[in-house]
Amino acid sequence: MMSFTPLQTLKNVEFRNLLTGRFFIVLAFRMLATLLGWWVYQLTKDPFSIGLIGLSEVIPAVSCALYAGHVIDMNEKKKLLLICNYVYIFLIGLLLIPAFLDVRMHFTGHEITYFIYGVIFFTGIARAFIGPIIPVMIPKIVKKENLPNAVTLNQATFLISSVCGHAAGGFLIGYFGIKWTLLVIIFLIFLASLFFFQLNKQYSGYKKENINVMDSMREGISYIFKTKEILGALCLDMFAVLFGGAVAMIPVYATDILKVGAEGFGLLNAASDIGSMCIITLLSVIPLRKNQGKILLAVVTGFGLCIIGFGLSTWYWLSFMFLVMSGMLDGISVVIRGTIVQLKTPDHIRGRVMSVNSIFIMSSNEMGQFESGLSAKLLGVVRSVVFGGTMTVLIALVVGSTNPKLRKMQY
């Protein structure tokens, strides 16, 4: 069992720069996700159109992920990270065209929606690369004995920025409108790049001419399937969160069921991240020391039950509390899953394993958004959310009963 050194990792200046840059870029991404969900629903009034946002991003992201892992392992990481930053700035900048010129150029709601889907398709390609890079860089920046704490702090940074991004996105949309919110998002991504510039370069130990791309990608997939703890953790992420993605329907709940407007939407959208932020901050000081595998299975089950409660609630504050509790349970799950993947992966294959990990994450989040939109169209919004929570509980029970290595896992 590894010893933890809470908060000691923050003494590392390079690690602080990495986390600060990540804070600003995730803040921007969460504000963008909030903005797009609200914008598209106001344009179409169709829950299914929200699901298509996720599908537009996840198809290119998943398609490119394995190749992205190969590229990350074979190339200098800092340069790739900065390239992805500036690609995002360019692509999000394209959304300023309909945001500022929709009235002058007489764009219809459907034309703007299709344009948004097109831009998000290309951000999905960039996401395939930027998603795994930061987790790949962490083990080279911190000592191995500090790695579990670094993973926890990385997730805490992610969730704090998610909370701020979801809430700020709702408030900025409500008070300043879509176009000015987009400008803030672009500025935040540029600000992130200033911190990434201060990182040291991380070169690959491979000689590129000796590496076959297909063999390289197969090596990453093979390693995951041979390591049952990683496979079980990733399956929980993909399938459980795939069906438990109630967050995608929050614009519908805020507008039509709870009737709380843009400001209430922003807070409701941040609720699960508030819960996650609180619990991960606690875990960075008081880490889990044993039975992490059993705890992982228990919290995923509890997460599903909270989603069922949210789906059935018609009271704003009760809905908010169900999402906060779901976030607390998911936060514990994220820390355990992330630590398992980092500790069980050797350095030479980390980019490819993290890229496969990103496929599972993107499949669960963006495909979850699509699944929520589709099931809402077929079953109705409330029944679709309850169905998703029920499936999450069942999947946790199946994984727990069929993967004894994950169940007995502790670090």
Side-chain angles (χ1 to χ4, degrees):
M1 185 180 300
M2 291 189 101
S3 61
F4 287 79
T5 52
L7 303 182
Q8 181 180 342
T9 317
L10 289 177
K11 297 177 182 178
N12 185 322
V13 175
E14 188 177 7
F15 184 66
R16 289 205 307 269
N17 284 329
L18 183 69
L19 288 192
T20 305
R22 193 183 192 207
F23 173 85
F24 286 117
I25 200 166
V26 173
L27 181 68
F29 289 170
R30 285 297 179 257
M31 289 175 63
L32 181 65
T34 300
L35 180 145
L36 292 177
W38 182 262
W39 193 5
V40 167
Y41 189 65
Q42 297 311 307
L43 290 169
T44 65
K45 297 297 181 182
D46 182 5
F48 184 62
S49 65
I50 301 173
L52 290 177
I53 299 173
L55 189 65
S56 299
E57 185 173 23
V58 77
I59 288 176
V62 170
S63 300
C64 297
L66 290 176
Y67 178 71
H70 166 78
V71 171
I72 291 167
D73 273 340
M74 305 302 151
N75 290 276
E76 198 274 303
K77 280 68 172 173
K78 175 183 172 180
K79 180 180 178 181
L80 287 174
L81 182 57
L82 290 169
I83 289 172
C84 290
N85 261 251
Y86 293 118
V87 167
Y88 261 104
I89 289 173
F90 170 75
L91 291 171
I92 296 171
L94 294 176
L95 295 176
L96 294 173
I97 298 171
F100 276 88
L101 301 177
D102 59 333
V103 175
R104 190 178 307 170
M105 299 187 71
H106 306 291
F107 292 130
T108 67
H110 286 296
E111 287 172 342
I112 295 174
T113 302
Y114 295 145
F115 183 77
I116 290 171
Y117 292 153
V119 170
I120 296 306
F121 178 90
F122 288 102
T123 66
I125 298 174
R127 181 173 174 176
F129 289 84
I130 201 169
I133 292 176
I134 291 177
V136 167
M137 296 180 79
I138 289 174
K140 291 288 188 180
I141 294 174
V142 304
K143 296 178 180 178
K144 185 175 181 179
E145 59 266 25
N146 292 331
L147 185 56
N149 185 240
V151 172
T152 303
L153 290 169
N154 182 46
Q155 293 300 333
T157 301
F158 174 85
L159 289 162
I160 291 169
S161 57
S162 292
V163 171
C164 297
H166 282 314
F171 289 128
L172 286 173
I173 293 165
Y175 287 105
F176 298 104
I178 288 169
K179 55 189 178 182
W180 299 110
T181 305
L182 278 171
L183 286 173
V184 172
I185 290 168
I186 291 170
F187 171 75
L188 290 171
I189 298 176
F190 173 75
L191 189 59
S193 71
L194 299 182
F195 288 91
F196 292 145
F197 259 117
Q198 300 179 60
L199 301 176
N200 295 325
K201 294 183 178 181
Q202 291 189 12
Y203 292 98
S204 168
Y206 284 93
K207 293 182 179 179
K208 298 179 188 178
E209 62 271 15
N210 296 331
I211 300 297
N212 180 278
V213 175
M214 295 304 297
D215 289 342
S216 172
M217 292 190 294
R218 278 195 294 267
E219 185 182 4
I221 297 173
S222 175
Y223 182 81
I224 286 175
F225 277 92
K226 288 189 297 185
T227 311
K228 300 302 181 184
E229 297 92 335
I230 294 179
L231 181 63
L234 297 188
C235 285
L236 274 180
D237 191 355
M238 183 173 76
F239 292 110
V241 182
L242 170 68
F243 290 108
V247 173
M249 291 297 105
I250 286 178
V252 184
Y253 270 79
T255 303
D256 299 333
I257 297 175
L258 302 175
K259 302 184 186 302
V260 291
E263 293 82 5
F265 162 67
L267 187 59
L268 201 65
N269 211 31
S272 62
D273 287 337
I274 290 172
S276 295
M277 178 187 67
C278 293
I279 198 68
I280 288 182
T281 301
L282 180 64
L283 290 176
S284 67
V285 180
I286 309 173
L288 300 169
R289 297 190 179 277
K290 60 181 181 179
N291 297 323
Q292 287 90 348
K294 293 178 181 177
I295 293 172
L296 174 61
L297 295 166
V299 296
V300 172
T301 302
F303 172 83
L305 295 174
C306 288
I307 296 302
I308 294 171
F310 169 78
L312 295 173
S313 172
T314 56
W315 296 346
Y316 176 74
W317 288 110
L318 181 60
S319 300
F320 178 81
M321 289 309 301
F322 272 123
L323 289 176
V324 169
M325 288 188 291
S326 74
M328 294 178 73
L329 295 170
D330 188 49
I332 298 171
S333 171
V334 165
V335 168
I336 296 174
R337 291 196 316 262
T339 305
I340 289 173
V341 173
Q342 287 283 20
L343 291 177
K344 289 286 182 178
T345 305
D347 285 338
H348 74 280
I349 202 172
R350 200 175 296 276
R352 283 159 286 175
V353 171
M354 290 300 170
S355 291
V356 176
N357 181 38
S358 73
I359 292 176
F360 280 78
I361 293 171
M362 287 182 287
S363 297
S364 63
N365 292 335
E366 274 63 37
M367 286 303 292
Q369 188 178 35
F370 175 70
E371 181 272 335
S372 294
L374 179 61
S375 60
K377 193 174 185 71
L378 297 176
L379 303 175
V381 173
V382 173
R383 282 195 291 268
S384 71
V385 174
V386 172
F387 168 76
T390 303
M391 290 299 297
T392 300
V393 173
L394 292 176
I395 287 165
L397 295 175
V398 170
V399 171
S401 62
T402 57
N403 194 326
K405 284 192 173 182
L406 177 64
R407 195 169 60 245
K408 297 174 183 177
M409 173 72 188
Q410 52 185 354
Y411 46 81

